[in-house]
Amino acid sequence: MRIEDVRKHLTTPLTSPAYTSTIPRFTDREYLNVVYRTDPGALRAVVPEPLGIGEPLVRFEVMKMGDVSGFGPYTEAGQAIQVHFEGEQGEYLHAMYLDNFPATASGREVSAYPKVIGAPSLYVDHGALVGTLDHGTLRVATATMGYKHQPLDEDTARAQITVPTFMLKAVPGYRRGMRVQELVRTEITDVVVKEAYTGPARLQLFAHVLAPLADLPVLEIVSASHILTDLTLAPVEPVFDYLKGDMQ
């Protein structure tokens, strides 16, 4: 394979890449969001500077992807922490767990999503919307919400989906140092809200050394939402370089 041909490839293996170069379009992306209050000290231990913390709020999310170009259907779960950066309110993506390897690899390599393999699920059980996350054979999270109890205002639902999002991009070098270590920002703008609901919710987190969601304990449920959307993810932009200690 010639050098100019190698340069055309996005990832490896060259003859059977881990994911496609297509920009994925999400159709019928279904969210269960449970926002809860946690221990401020626990947040300070995991949120990287220069992000700041206001109210100690975390959003546990389960997303069931009905159809995704390039990846097919899959499910994802994780935690997003409310933060602020230079006066802008947003969320810091703390951890994400998927049951689809190409989407996991693409999210980490192309963008900066903190994705690892897990076993999330989202389904309806006797009048309750249920979101779970397993790591291996062990349950690490269970969320329940009253199924379509009350309509949620479309603008409110859209604001939840399009909140500015911050992530940490980390690419190690070959001699134990870092080649890239950046705080990046993204914001979904191409989104259609198809359905949106709110209702009562509960959330249980279980301790696991490799999926430490319970390190951000649930002290109080603040809100919950169930949203169905079509959307396209936006590219990320660096906003702080940890290796240089300054803005991009």
Side-chain angles (χ1 to χ4, degrees), residues 23-31 63-74 190-192 194 227-233:
I23 297 176
R25 174 66 178 174
F26 295 79
T27 303
D28 290 337
R29 177 166 166 149
E30 184 178 11
Y31 289 81
M63 295 173 286
K64 186 176 182 179
M65 319 301 183
D67 181 70
V68 188
S69 55
F71 301 118
Y74 66 93
D190 179 10
V191 59
V192 176
K194 304 169 85 169
I227 305 171
L228 183 66
T229 68
D230 295 342
L231 61 83
T232 303
L233 297 180

Side-chain angles (χ1 to χ4, degrees), residues 51 59 80-85 87-93 158-167 184-189:
L51 295 175
R59 180 170 60 86
I81 300 168
Q82 290 196 12
V83 295
H84 56 82
F85 178 74
E88 180 180 53
Q89 299 296 316
E91 290 184 335
Y92 168 66
L93 291 187
R158 182 178 292 104
Q160 292 183 18
I161 304 302
T162 60
V163 62
T165 300
F166 298 93
M167 300 171 285
V184 303
R185 178 193 181 279
T186 186
E187 182 177 358
I188 295 172
T189 57

